[in-house]
């Protein structure tokens, strides 16, 4: 069957690599499931919050911001592995830290609208699976605007979050 040492070596390599590849595939599939069920696309894919998701920009950042009184407007960031506009320079550990503690690699806190407190309850395996999946998606080059400080002019459609007793804003003229 294997007439050359090279043929035998290739066969042995294929056998050795297959279980690891399927384990990685399973981890990525688990991450995709968790990202889908967690609704990450809602805040991190253009058009999703407006009912017209742009799948060519899957997880490449939103075009809708959330205004939090006193804090400003936050737009869902690009969480694809694009090195310029996404999280392509983040390690798996940095991704896990961000989704479970709200701490970015540069030391800043994630926007308060990001539900990292709920994600902190993920098992280490599930958090790692999300990181593996995010690293596996197609990079999208998309610089998301913001965050915007209170009083700054915004460049995106914005949902306002109002505390009880506040008045809704008047419609733009």
């Amino acid at each position: 069957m294997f007439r050359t040492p090279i043929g035998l070596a290739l066969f042995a390599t294929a056998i050795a690599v297959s279980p690891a590849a399927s384990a990685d595939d399973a981890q990525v599939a688990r991450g995709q499931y968790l990202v889908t069920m967690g609704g990450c696309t809602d805040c991190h894919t253009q058009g999703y919050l407006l009912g017209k998701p742009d799948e060519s920009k899957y997880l490449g950042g939103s075009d809708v911001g959330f205004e939090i009184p006193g804090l400003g407007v936050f737009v869902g960031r690009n969480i694809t592995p694009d090195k310029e506009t996404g999280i392509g320079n983040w390690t798996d550990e940095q991704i896990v830290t961000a989704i479970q503690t709200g701490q970015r690699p540069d030391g800043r806190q994630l926007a308060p609208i990001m539900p990292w407190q709920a994600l902190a309850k993920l098992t280490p395996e599930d958090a790692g699976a999300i990181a593996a999946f995010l690293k596996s998606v197609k990079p999208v080059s998309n610089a998301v605007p913001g965050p915007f400080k209170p009083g700054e002019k915004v460049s995106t459609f914005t949902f306002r979050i109002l505390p009880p007793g506040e008045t809704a804003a008047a419609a733009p003229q």
Side-chain angles (χ1 to χ4, degrees):
M1 179 168 162
F2 299 104
R3 300 189 197 273
T4 67
I6 294 173
L8 182 59
L10 289 173
F11 178 71
T13 301
I15 290 173
V17 171
S18 291
S22 65
D24 289 345
D25 291 346
Q27 184 185 37
V28 168
R30 176 72 178 165
Q32 181 178 17
Y33 169 76
L34 292 166
V35 164
T36 300
M37 294 308 296
C40 300
T41 53
D42 296 3
C43 294
H44 293 281
T45 299
Q46 282 190 18
Y48 223 92
L49 291 169
L50 300 174
K52 296 179 183 175
D54 182 348
E55 292 302 325
S56 71
K57 294 183 179 169
Y58 179 71
L59 298 176
S62 186
D63 51 353
V64 174
F66 289 91
E67 180 185 6
I68 301 173
L71 296 177
V73 175
F74 303 90
V75 181
R77 311 313 289 170
N78 180 344
I79 56 172
T80 71
D82 182 70
K83 291 188 182 291
E84 300 298 319
T85 64
I87 60 172
N89 293 317
W90 294 20
T91 66
D92 289 358
E93 293 77 21
Q94 289 171 325
I95 295 169
V96 168
T97 297
I99 64 175
Q100 292 201 290
T101 71
Q103 185 85 24
R104 294 170 42 101
D106 62 9
R108 295 184 321 189
Q109 282 295 119
L110 296 177
I113 197 74
M114 174 65 182
W116 67 264
Q117 296 89 345
L119 297 173
K121 309 247 187 295
L122 288 168
T123 65
E125 295 80 17
D126 282 348
I130 290 172
F133 173 66
L134 293 177
K135 291 274 198 144
S136 78
V137 299
K138 181 186 106 198
V140 174
S141 179
N142 181 40
V144 175
F148 302 95
K149 295 177 183 167
E152 249 184 328
K153 186 175 262 187
V154 298
S155 60
T156 63
F157 184 81
T158 302
F159 290 136
R160 293 185 77 204
I161 298 172
L162 297 174
E166 288 289 323
T167 304
Q173 300 300 324

